[in-house]
Amino acid sequence: MVDVFLFGIFTVLAIFWILRKNGRKGRRIPGPKGLPLVGCVLEVKEENIHTKFSDYAHEYGDIFQFKLMNDTIIGLNSEHLIRLAYAQDGYKEYLNDKPATFYAEMLLYGSQSTEFCKDGYSAEHTAYRKGFTNVMKIYGAGIDSSIEEMFMTEIKRGLMKRIEDYNGKYFEIAYELKRSLANTLSCLFKGEPFNDNDPNASIFDEFCDCVDYFGNASVNNVLTTLPFLRYMPGPYGKQFAKALKTRETIIDIFFKEQKVRNTLNVTVHLA
Protein backbone atom coordinates (compact mmCIF):
# COMPACT_ATOMS: atom_id res chain seq x y z
CA MET A 1 0.00 0.00 0.00
CA VAL A 2 2.83 2.36 0.91
CA ASP A 3 4.65 1.53 -2.34
CA VAL A 4 1.55 2.38 -4.35
CA PHE A 5 1.19 5.69 -2.49
CA LEU A 6 4.82 6.65 -3.11
CA PHE A 7 4.56 5.64 -6.76
CA GLY A 8 1.50 7.87 -7.11
CA ILE A 9 3.33 10.85 -5.60
CA PHE A 10 6.34 10.47 -7.89
CA THR A 11 4.07 10.04 -10.91
CA VAL A 12 2.23 13.28 -10.15
CA LEU A 13 5.51 15.13 -9.62
CA ALA A 14 6.93 13.77 -12.87
CA ILE A 15 3.83 14.84 -14.82
CA PHE A 16 3.99 18.30 -13.26
CA TRP A 17 7.66 18.64 -14.19
CA ILE A 18 7.05 17.53 -17.80
CA LEU A 19 4.11 19.90 -18.25
CA ARG A 20 6.06 22.79 -16.79
CA LYS A 21 9.02 22.08 -19.04
CA ASN A 22 6.89 21.80 -22.17
CA GLY A 23 4.96 24.96 -21.27
CA ARG A 24 7.98 27.22 -21.58
CA LYS A 25 8.07 29.48 -24.63
CA GLY A 26 10.92 31.27 -26.36
CA ARG A 27 14.62 30.50 -26.43
CA ARG A 28 15.99 28.64 -23.45
CA ILE A 29 19.09 30.06 -21.80
CA PRO A 30 21.85 27.43 -22.04
CA GLY A 31 23.09 25.72 -18.93
CA PRO A 32 23.44 22.37 -17.16
CA LYS A 33 20.25 20.32 -17.02
CA GLY A 34 20.83 18.79 -13.61
CA LEU A 35 18.50 16.18 -12.15
CA PRO A 36 14.70 16.20 -12.37
CA LEU A 37 13.02 18.20 -9.57
CA VAL A 38 16.25 19.03 -7.68
CA GLY A 39 18.31 20.47 -10.55
CA CYS A 40 22.01 21.02 -9.78
CA VAL A 41 21.64 21.03 -6.02
CA LEU A 42 24.02 18.06 -5.73
CA GLU A 43 26.69 19.83 -7.81
CA VAL A 44 26.62 23.42 -6.53
CA LYS A 45 27.81 23.67 -2.93
CA GLU A 46 28.70 26.63 -0.74
CA GLU A 47 32.39 25.77 -0.93
CA ASN A 48 32.52 25.41 -4.74
CA ILE A 49 29.89 27.87 -5.97
CA HIS A 50 32.47 30.35 -7.34
CA THR A 51 34.34 27.70 -9.32
CA LYS A 52 31.11 26.14 -10.57
CA PHE A 53 29.88 29.49 -11.88
CA SER A 54 33.22 29.96 -13.65
CA ASP A 55 32.97 26.48 -15.18
CA TYR A 56 29.40 27.10 -16.35
CA ALA A 57 30.38 30.43 -17.95
CA HIS A 58 33.30 28.79 -19.73
CA GLU A 59 31.09 25.97 -21.06
CA TYR A 60 27.80 27.79 -21.79
CA GLY A 61 28.77 31.43 -22.34
CA ASP A 62 28.36 34.73 -20.48
CA ILE A 63 24.64 34.05 -19.85
CA PHE A 64 23.75 30.68 -18.35
CA GLN A 65 21.05 29.24 -16.15
CA PHE A 66 20.54 26.27 -13.86
CA LYS A 67 18.07 25.13 -11.23
CA LEU A 68 18.49 24.63 -7.50
CA MET A 69 15.41 22.83 -6.21
CA ASN A 70 12.52 25.17 -7.06
CA ASP A 71 14.71 28.18 -7.94
CA THR A 72 16.02 29.05 -11.40
CA ILE A 73 19.40 30.80 -11.23
CA ILE A 74 20.63 32.96 -14.13
CA GLY A 75 24.31 33.91 -14.22
CA LEU A 76 25.79 36.97 -15.95
CA ASN A 77 29.51 36.74 -16.51
CA SER A 78 30.47 40.12 -17.95
CA GLU A 79 30.49 43.71 -16.70
CA HIS A 80 28.60 44.84 -19.81
CA LEU A 81 25.71 42.45 -19.18
CA ILE A 82 25.52 43.33 -15.50
CA ARG A 83 25.41 47.07 -16.22
CA LEU A 84 22.86 46.52 -18.97
CA ALA A 85 20.60 44.55 -16.66
CA TYR A 86 20.85 46.53 -13.44
CA ALA A 87 21.97 50.06 -14.27
CA GLN A 88 20.40 51.21 -17.53
CA ASP A 89 16.89 52.61 -17.74
CA GLY A 90 14.44 50.26 -19.37
CA TYR A 91 15.75 47.15 -17.63
CA LYS A 92 16.51 48.01 -14.00
CA GLU A 93 12.82 48.51 -13.21
CA TYR A 94 12.24 44.83 -13.97
CA LEU A 95 15.55 43.26 -12.95
CA ASN A 96 16.31 45.01 -9.65
CA ASP A 97 14.13 42.68 -7.63
CA LYS A 98 15.43 39.92 -5.37
CA PRO A 99 14.13 36.39 -4.82
CA ALA A 100 12.52 35.79 -1.46
CA THR A 101 14.78 34.03 1.05
CA PHE A 102 13.72 31.93 3.99
CA TYR A 103 15.67 34.11 6.41
CA ALA A 104 14.19 37.41 5.24
CA GLU A 105 10.64 36.12 4.95
CA MET A 106 10.51 34.33 8.29
CA LEU A 107 12.82 36.43 10.47
CA LEU A 108 12.58 39.92 8.94
CA TYR A 109 8.78 40.06 8.86
CA GLY A 110 8.34 39.47 5.15
CA SER A 111 11.67 40.87 3.87
CA GLN A 112 11.20 44.29 5.48
CA SER A 113 14.83 45.28 5.03
CA THR A 114 16.90 47.50 2.74
CA GLU A 115 19.10 44.58 1.80
CA PHE A 116 16.40 41.92 1.42
CA CYS A 117 13.52 44.00 0.04
CA LYS A 118 12.17 41.91 -2.84
CA ASP A 119 11.34 44.84 -5.12
CA GLY A 120 14.45 46.98 -5.47
CA TYR A 121 12.69 49.54 -7.62
CA SER A 122 9.71 50.14 -5.32
CA ALA A 123 8.65 53.03 -3.11
CA GLU A 124 9.08 50.70 -0.15
CA HIS A 125 12.75 50.10 -0.93
CA THR A 126 13.27 53.84 -1.50
CA ALA A 127 11.79 54.55 1.95
CA TYR A 128 14.15 52.01 3.56
CA ARG A 129 17.15 53.63 1.88
CA LYS A 130 16.11 57.16 2.85
CA GLY A 131 15.59 56.10 6.47
CA PHE A 132 19.02 54.48 6.62
CA THR A 133 20.67 57.51 4.97
CA ASN A 134 19.00 59.95 7.36
CA VAL A 135 20.18 57.99 10.39
CA MET A 136 23.75 57.90 9.07
CA LYS A 137 23.65 61.66 8.46
CA ILE A 138 22.55 62.30 12.05
CA TYR A 139 25.40 60.33 13.56
CA GLY A 140 27.89 61.46 10.93
CA ALA A 141 27.14 65.12 11.62
CA GLY A 142 28.04 64.64 15.28
CA ILE A 143 24.71 65.90 16.58
CA ASP A 144 25.07 63.75 19.67
CA SER A 145 28.71 63.97 20.76
CA SER A 146 28.04 61.72 23.78
CA ILE A 147 27.65 58.74 21.43
CA GLU A 148 31.07 59.39 19.94
CA GLU A 149 32.55 59.70 23.42
CA MET A 150 31.07 56.34 24.37
CA PHE A 151 32.62 54.78 21.24
CA MET A 152 36.05 56.11 22.10
CA THR A 153 35.68 55.08 25.73
CA GLU A 154 34.81 51.53 24.69
CA ILE A 155 37.87 51.36 22.44
CA LYS A 156 40.35 52.95 24.85
CA ARG A 157 39.08 51.84 28.27
CA GLY A 158 37.24 48.75 27.10
CA LEU A 159 38.97 46.92 24.28
CA MET A 160 42.50 48.23 24.90
CA LYS A 161 42.22 47.78 28.66
CA ARG A 162 41.05 44.16 28.29
CA ILE A 163 43.92 43.42 25.89
CA GLU A 164 46.45 44.97 28.30
CA ASP A 165 45.08 42.82 31.14
CA TYR A 166 46.30 39.69 29.34
CA ASN A 167 49.87 40.85 30.17
CA GLY A 168 51.39 39.41 27.02
CA LYS A 169 49.61 36.04 27.31
CA TYR A 170 47.93 34.40 24.34
CA PHE A 171 44.26 35.29 23.91
CA GLU A 172 41.50 35.06 21.30
CA ILE A 173 41.49 38.43 19.54
CA ALA A 174 38.29 37.60 17.60
CA TYR A 175 36.39 37.21 20.88
CA GLU A 176 37.56 40.61 22.14
CA LEU A 177 36.75 42.31 18.84
CA LYS A 178 33.25 40.82 18.84
CA ARG A 179 32.76 41.93 22.43
CA SER A 180 33.89 45.46 21.61
CA LEU A 181 31.66 45.61 18.54
CA ALA A 182 28.68 44.45 20.61
CA ASN A 183 29.33 47.22 23.13
CA THR A 184 29.65 49.77 20.32
CA LEU A 185 26.30 48.68 18.85
CA SER A 186 24.75 48.80 22.30
CA CYS A 187 25.97 52.40 22.69
CA LEU A 188 24.43 53.24 19.35
CA PHE A 189 21.07 51.60 20.08
CA LYS A 190 20.51 52.43 23.75
CA GLY A 191 23.25 54.85 24.77
CA GLU A 192 25.33 52.53 26.96
CA PRO A 193 27.51 49.42 26.57
CA PHE A 194 26.73 45.98 27.96
CA ASN A 195 27.77 45.27 31.53
CA ASP A 196 30.69 42.86 31.79
CA ASN A 197 28.47 40.21 33.41
CA ASP A 198 25.45 40.74 31.16
CA PRO A 199 24.35 37.30 29.84
CA ASN A 200 23.09 38.98 26.66
CA ALA A 201 26.46 40.55 25.77
CA SER A 202 26.95 37.95 23.00
CA ILE A 203 23.43 38.27 21.56
CA PHE A 204 24.61 39.98 18.34
CA ASP A 205 27.18 37.27 17.72
CA GLU A 206 24.54 34.57 18.28
CA PHE A 207 22.11 36.20 15.88
CA CYS A 208 24.85 36.59 13.25
CA ASP A 209 25.48 32.84 13.52
CA CYS A 210 21.80 32.27 12.73
CA VAL A 211 21.97 34.64 9.74
CA ASP A 212 25.05 32.81 8.42
CA TYR A 213 23.26 29.48 8.80
CA PHE A 214 20.06 30.47 7.00
CA GLY A 215 22.02 32.50 4.44
CA ASN A 216 23.72 29.33 3.30
CA ALA A 217 22.47 28.60 -0.23
CA SER A 218 21.89 24.91 0.46
CA VAL A 219 19.90 25.57 3.63
CA ASN A 220 17.90 28.33 1.96
CA ASN A 221 17.00 26.16 -1.03
CA VAL A 222 15.74 23.36 1.20
CA LEU A 223 13.70 25.62 3.49
CA THR A 224 12.17 27.77 0.76
CA THR A 225 10.96 24.56 -0.88
CA LEU A 226 10.00 22.75 2.35
CA PRO A 227 9.39 25.55 4.90
CA PHE A 228 7.54 23.24 7.30
CA LEU A 229 10.91 21.72 8.24
CA ARG A 230 11.45 24.70 10.56
CA TYR A 231 8.95 23.09 12.93
CA MET A 232 10.41 19.58 12.72
CA PRO A 233 13.03 18.01 15.00
CA GLY A 234 16.53 18.28 13.61
CA PRO A 235 19.05 21.00 12.69
CA TYR A 236 16.57 23.21 10.80
CA GLY A 237 14.07 23.33 13.63
CA LYS A 238 16.79 23.83 16.24
CA GLN A 239 18.41 26.73 14.38
CA PHE A 240 15.05 28.36 13.64
CA ALA A 241 14.08 28.27 17.32
CA LYS A 242 17.45 29.80 18.24
CA ALA A 243 17.03 32.54 15.63
CA LEU A 244 13.55 33.43 16.93
CA LYS A 245 14.84 33.57 20.51
CA THR A 246 17.82 35.80 19.70
CA ARG A 247 15.69 38.08 17.53
CA GLU A 248 13.11 38.57 20.28
CA THR A 249 15.87 39.19 22.85
CA ILE A 250 17.35 41.96 20.67
CA ILE A 251 13.88 43.51 20.25
CA ASP A 252 13.25 43.36 24.01
CA ILE A 253 16.58 44.94 24.96
CA PHE A 254 16.90 47.63 22.32
CA PHE A 255 13.28 48.50 21.56
CA LYS A 256 10.74 47.46 24.17
CA GLU A 257 12.86 48.20 27.25
CA GLN A 258 14.03 51.51 25.78
CA LYS A 259 10.46 52.46 24.94
CA VAL A 260 9.37 51.82 28.52
CA ARG A 261 12.39 53.72 29.90
CA ASN A 262 11.77 56.72 27.66
CA THR A 263 8.09 56.75 28.60
CA LEU A 264 8.98 56.74 32.31
CA ASN A 265 11.54 59.53 31.78
CA VAL A 266 8.98 61.68 30.03
CA THR A 267 6.42 61.01 32.75
CA VAL A 268 8.86 61.94 35.50
CA HIS A 269 9.95 65.06 33.64
CA LEU A 270 6.35 66.21 33.15
CA ALA A 271 5.57 65.55 36.82
Side-chain angles (χ1 to χ4, degrees):
M1 186 67 181
V2 175
D3 293 339
V4 174
F5 177 72
L6 292 175
F7 177 77
I9 291 178
F10 284 114
T11 301
V12 171
L13 291 174
I15 293 174
F16 173 78
W17 179 74
I18 293 173
L19 291 175
R20 183 178 180 184
K21 180 179 179 182
N22 293 337
R24 294 193 184 102
K25 297 180 180 179
R27 293 177 57 189
R28 183 184 184 278
I29 298 174
K33 294 182 179 180
L35 299 174
L37 302 179
V38 299
C40 299
V41 73
L42 299 180
E43 297 179 22
V44 180
K45 307 289 185 181
E46 182 182 12
E47 59 272 13
N48 73 350
I49 191 170
H50 57 293
T51 58
K52 274 295 180 183
F53 280 15
S54 179
D55 293 342
Y56 290 159
H58 180 74
E59 182 175 355
Y60 300 104
D62 286 340
I63 303 179
F64 58 88
Q65 79 169 14
F66 60 95
K67 289 188 67 66
L68 291 178
M69 299 292 284
N70 197 41
D71 294 326
T72 299
I73 311 298
I74 297 177
L76 303 179
N77 192 50
S78 77
E79 180 184 356
H80 170 70
L81 289 174
I82 293 172
R83 289 185 179 277
L84 182 66
Y86 296 105
Q88 293 190 8
D89 291 333
Y91 294 98
K92 65 181 181 181
E93 180 178 355
Y94 306 101
L95 298 178
N96 269 5
D97 57 342
K98 300 180 181 69
T101 64
F102 177 84
Y103 162 71
E105 287 293 293
M106 298 300 172
L107 295 170
L108 295 181
Y109 304 100
S111 302
Q112 295 186 42
S113 162
T114 304
E115 180 180 359
F116 291 96
C117 182
K118 289 177 286 188
D119 188 350
Y121 203 75
S122 64
E124 182 181 20
H125 184 258
T126 301
Y128 292 151
R129 291 180 61 187
K130 286 183 177 179
F132 177 79
T133 303
N134 289 337
V135 170
M136 291 299 99
K137 284 182 178 178
I138 291 175
Y139 287 109
I143 291 177
D144 191 347
S145 60
S146 62
I147 297 293
E148 185 176 353
E149 292 176 3
M150 289 182 186
F151 287 171
M152 297 308 298
T153 299
E154 164 55 30
I155 294 175
K156 294 179 179 179
R157 301 180 185 176
L159 177 62
M160 299 306 297
K161 178 64 167 59
R162 290 192 297 270
I163 291 177
E164 290 173 356
D165 289 343
Y166 284 101
N167 293 321
K169 298 178 182 178
Y170 288 104
F171 65 94
E172 184 59 55
I173 185 63
Y175 169 79
E176 292 298 342
L177 291 175
K178 289 178 181 179
R179 183 178 177 184
S180 182
L181 178 59
N183 283 337
T184 302
L185 290 173
S186 182
C187 290
L188 184 63
F189 292 151
K190 68 174 184 176
E192 60 185 17
F194 286 105
N195 294 325
D196 289 340
N197 298 322
D198 192 331
N200 293 317
S202 62
I203 193 66
F204 290 119
D205 189 35
E206 293 174 11
F207 189 71
C208 286
D209 288 342
C210 296
V211 176
D212 289 342
Y213 179 80
F214 290 113
N216 181 290
S218 300
V219 174
N220 180 68
N221 286 325
V222 171
L223 289 176
T224 51
T225 306
L226 306 171
F228 63 86
L229 291 178
R230 69 187 187 275
Y231 298 123
M232 303 295 288
Y236 300 128
K238 182 178 179 180
Q239 288 292 334
F240 185 69
K242 178 183 176 182
L244 288 178
K245 182 179 179 181
T246 54
R247 183 192 68 178
E248 294 307 311
T249 301
I250 290 174
I251 292 174
D252 287 341
I253 296 174
F254 298 106
F255 179 72
K256 293 181 179 179
E257 292 181 8
Q258 295 308 302
K259 188 176 181 180
V260 172
R261 180 185 299 182
N262 292 337
T263 301
L264 291 175
N265 289 338
V266 171
T267 302
V268 172
H269 179 70
L270 291 177

